[in-house]
Amino acid sequence: MADTLAGPVPEVPDAVPEFPMPRSGRCPFDPPPGLKDLQEETPLTKVRLWDGSEPWLVTRYAEQRAILGDSRVSADTDKPGYPTKASPEGGEGKLSFIMMDDPEHARLRRMVTAPFAIKRVEALRPAVQRIVDDLIDDMLAGPQPVDLVEAFALPIPSLVICELLGVPYDDHAFFQDNTKTMVHRDATPEQRGRASREVAMYLAGVIGQRLAEPKDDLLSSIAGRIEAGEIDHQQATEMALLLLIAGHETTANMIALGTLALLQNPDQLALLRETDDAKLVASAVEELLRYLHITHLGRRRAVTEDIEIAGQVIKAGEGVIMVNEIGNRDPDVFPDPDRLDITRDARRHVAFGFGNHQCLGQPLARMELQVVYGTLYRRIPTLKPAGSLEDVRFKEDAFIYGVHELPVAW
Amino acid sequence: MKVELEADKCVASGQCVVAAMDVFDQDDDGIAILLEETPAPELLDDVREAVAVCPAAAIRLVER
Ligand code: SF4
């Protein structure tokens, strides 16, 4: 039956499960139980999406990595079979090179890899530490309870990206306000759209200034590519916007959801609070990336040439979804996968994806999370949720999973 | 054992540097560089980790 389902209304009894699936009310950190069941049954199965299309869902770690590393799949959302995400917020738009294939993808990506090299990222660590410490100072000086998302989790990546791009200090407030609106839970699609255009125009303006007067920052090096004739002004702006968007809500949700997960696992939180071993902090970051995995709608691809895998043939023109969230809970790779254990070796997780599109900003995200997890609970050892878990609203329907707000006190 | 690196496959993830700092580094654009083609035996576990986490399958460990 697999290849006759492209028509509009299949008359056959419905055995194809819907995707995405609801999470269980029991544990907000665990993947939907339906997905875990599918993983147990089979490495590869069809699912039905919001638009009636039926791409393949890849449930296990090894097959997910194999397909994400395969050159016969495309990240171009316009390719036939690409599994589109339901878009309550008016679509994702084309986000520069993350929706392109090689060689153009590689050409554009390589233009912005330099600042994410490990040593360059390490050089930013003191600046990130300062940002984190300042925000904690502000929280401690203010009233309780405070929403950790708004006061801490969202500003950190926004300020870090200012640092990285080279947004002048005087413009931080403007930049912060607009980036906040871009991801704010109560903003209308129009408000989000407007904020995002404001930021794009702003970035285009700074790139223009850097063209005339280069500095030692990422916007200058992007401007340099315009001068060299490698990209136009529009592409340069899109690239800068991509770097901002990709690192903003993702990192923020890892901070807030990670804190909530640790508060729910006090033994793990205690380990982290009491250590000054940078290795254990780094290990906690990897484990939380594995355990939480916030890009819950999966990495998606269109298949451009038949691929034989796990005894199946995925045909050219079909779609394929890798929910890395369940790949990271594959018991063949991570024993006792549903347990949060910051001392385990979780480095092989696929939270950043795999293959040529694997997250470009991962060294920066790791470093930010290391600073946050290594600082927040030590500086506020009595940190606790101000309310019960039942009242926390989770971002079930959002592109990036997390919490809408997290009221905390100490 | 000998390490082989195909730099044209590299996507500059930096994962090999994190896994095996004594064996890999990155150039100015973040592309991996091999520091030690034949690393000391005590570094081989780190290199195996680098092989496992490299998203681009750009690293191999081969018998000499
Ligand atoms: S891990 Fe692979 S892709 Fe990443 S920097 Fe090293 S060689 Fe390049």
Side-chain angles (χ1 to χ4, degrees):
Chain A
M1 61 176 260
D3 46 5
T4 57
L5 290 172
V9 188
E11 297 279 15
V12 287
D14 198 357
V16 179
E18 306 257 342
F19 181 85
M21 292 178 186
R23 284 174 196 265
S24 112
R26 252 181 342 117
C27 181
F29 311 115
D30 280 348
L35 282 182
K36 301 267 298 177
D37 293 345
L38 286 180
Q39 179 181 62
E40 237 178 89
E41 281 163 31
T42 172
L44 206 64
T45 184
K46 289 246 173 156
V47 288
R48 174 162 312 144
L49 300 190
W50 64 288
D51 60 355
S53 63
E54 296 191 351
W56 294 93
L57 180 86
V58 186
T59 66
R60 295 185 192 158
Y61 178 89
E63 285 81 6
Q64 289 186 349
R65 292 220 316 181
I67 293 180
L68 285 169
D70 198 305
S71 58
R72 293 166 295 178
V73 298
S74 166
D76 182 346
T77 50
D78 291 334
K79 280 267 155 59
Y82 186 94
T84 48
K85 289 174 189 165
S87 50
E89 288 155 20
E92 300 157 276
K94 283 249 167 185
L95 269 180
S96 189
F97 54 81
I98 64 171
M99 291 173 187
M100 295 176 187
D101 297 323
D102 288 343
E104 185 62 1
H105 158 263
R107 185 181 82 90
L108 294 175
R109 177 176 164 127
R110 281 203 178 193
M111 290 180 191
V112 285
T113 46
F116 298 103
I118 302 297
K119 285 180 182 153
R120 295 273 303 267
V121 166
E122 273 312 309
L124 275 179
R125 191 181 283 266
V128 173
Q129 184 71 53
R130 205 165 46 240
I131 288 168
V132 169
D133 278 327
D134 287 352
L135 287 167
I136 294 175
D137 288 343
D138 291 349
M139 279 200 298
L140 288 172
Q144 302 181 38
V146 61
D147 176 12
L148 192 81
V149 174
E150 178 130 9
F152 189 68
L154 277 171
I156 290 171
S158 173
L159 289 167
V160 171
I161 205 81
C162 280
E163 214 40 75
L164 184 85
L165 288 172
V167 172
Y169 188 79
D170 287 349
D171 298 335
H172 280 197
F174 161 85
F175 195 81
Q176 279 256 70
D177 282 349
N178 280 290
T179 53
K180 196 159 100 189
T181 307
M182 281 165 70
V183 297
H184 201 278
R185 56 185 177 270
D186 297 327
T188 63
E190 291 75 40
Q191 286 169 325
R192 286 166 194 249
R194 194 176 330 119
S196 145
R197 279 192 302 278
E198 289 270 342
V199 171
M201 269 163 52
Y202 172 78
L203 290 171
V206 182
I207 291 170
Q209 288 166 20
R210 297 291 188 274
L211 263 174
E213 235 179 284
K215 295 191 177 180
D216 185 20
D217 58 31
L218 183 52
L219 288 177
S220 300
S221 78
I222 292 177
R225 304 291 180 160
I226 305 179
E227 197 142 74
E230 296 172 23
I231 46 174
D232 61 25
H233 212 116
Q234 169 79 19
Q235 285 172 310
T237 307
E238 278 169 16
M239 220 184 251
L241 199 61
L242 165 66
L243 297 178
L244 161 70
I245 292 173
H248 189 206
E249 215 184 341
T250 44
T251 311
N253 285 345
M254 276 304 302
I255 293 172
L257 195 64
T259 299
L260 183 59
L262 287 164
L263 290 168
Q264 297 296 316
N265 289 270
D267 58 322
Q268 300 296 305
L269 180 56
L271 284 179
L272 201 48
R273 190 168 44 218
E274 277 142 34
T275 189
D276 43 26
D277 178 4
K279 279 212 178 94
L280 182 60
V281 175
S283 164
V285 169
E286 299 311 313
E287 173 64 349
L288 282 156
L289 285 163
R290 179 196 74 84
Y291 179 73
L292 297 173
H293 198 274
I294 49 164
T295 57
H296 60 151
L297 294 182
R299 263 95 190 171
R300 303 181 175 209
R301 299 289 186 269
V303 174
T304 54
E305 271 175 60
D306 292 5
I307 296 176
E308 207 184 320
I309 189 158
Q312 290 279 359
V313 177
I314 308 180
K315 296 212 178 69
E318 290 189 314
V320 56
I321 302 179
M322 278 63 61
V323 185
N324 296 139
E325 183 177 25
I326 46 173
N328 284 338
R329 301 287 186 109
D330 187 332
D332 286 346
V333 187
F334 305 102
D336 197 1
D338 297 335
R339 200 161 61 91
L340 176 70
D341 173 5
I342 65 166
T343 63
R344 81 160 86 214
D345 185 354
R347 287 177 295 174
R348 295 184 187 188
H349 66 72
V350 278
F352 292 116
F354 199 71
N356 59 344
H357 284 274
Q358 192 185 52
C359 176
L360 166 70
Q362 57 181 308
L364 182 63
R366 286 195 160 99
M367 186 270 281
E368 283 178 63
L369 294 174
Q370 287 166 6
V371 173
V372 167
Y373 297 156
T375 307
L376 179 63
Y377 321 119
R378 288 171 69 104
R379 286 205 53 200
I380 316 185
T382 54
L383 189 78
K384 57 174 190 284
S388 74
L389 186 61
E390 286 81 64
D391 296 333
V392 175
R393 290 189 300 140
F394 291 89
K395 296 182 167 181
E396 291 269 0
D397 302 327
F399 286 138
I400 311 287
Y401 187 64
V403 288
H404 284 288
E405 61 268 299
L406 183 61
V408 292
W410 46 89
Chain B
M1 300 288 263
K2 184 170 164 260
V3 185
E4 288 178 358
L5 172 72
E6 285 176 82
D8 57 334
K9 281 193 183 170
C10 173
V11 298
S13 72
Q15 299 238 62
C16 53
V17 183
V18 177
M21 230 198 289
D22 299 322
V23 182
F24 301 97
D25 199 356
Q26 287 166 292
D27 71 9
D28 286 347
D29 289 329
I31 302 304
I33 316 170
L34 194 54
L35 299 176
E36 273 299 333
E37 203 171 89
T38 53
E42 64 270 20
L43 293 175
L44 289 181
D45 274 348
D46 290 350
V47 176
R48 285 192 191 96
E49 186 61 25
V51 173
V53 292
C54 173
I59 309 167
R60 268 203 313 265
L61 192 56
V62 292
E63 296 281 352
R64 280 199 294 171

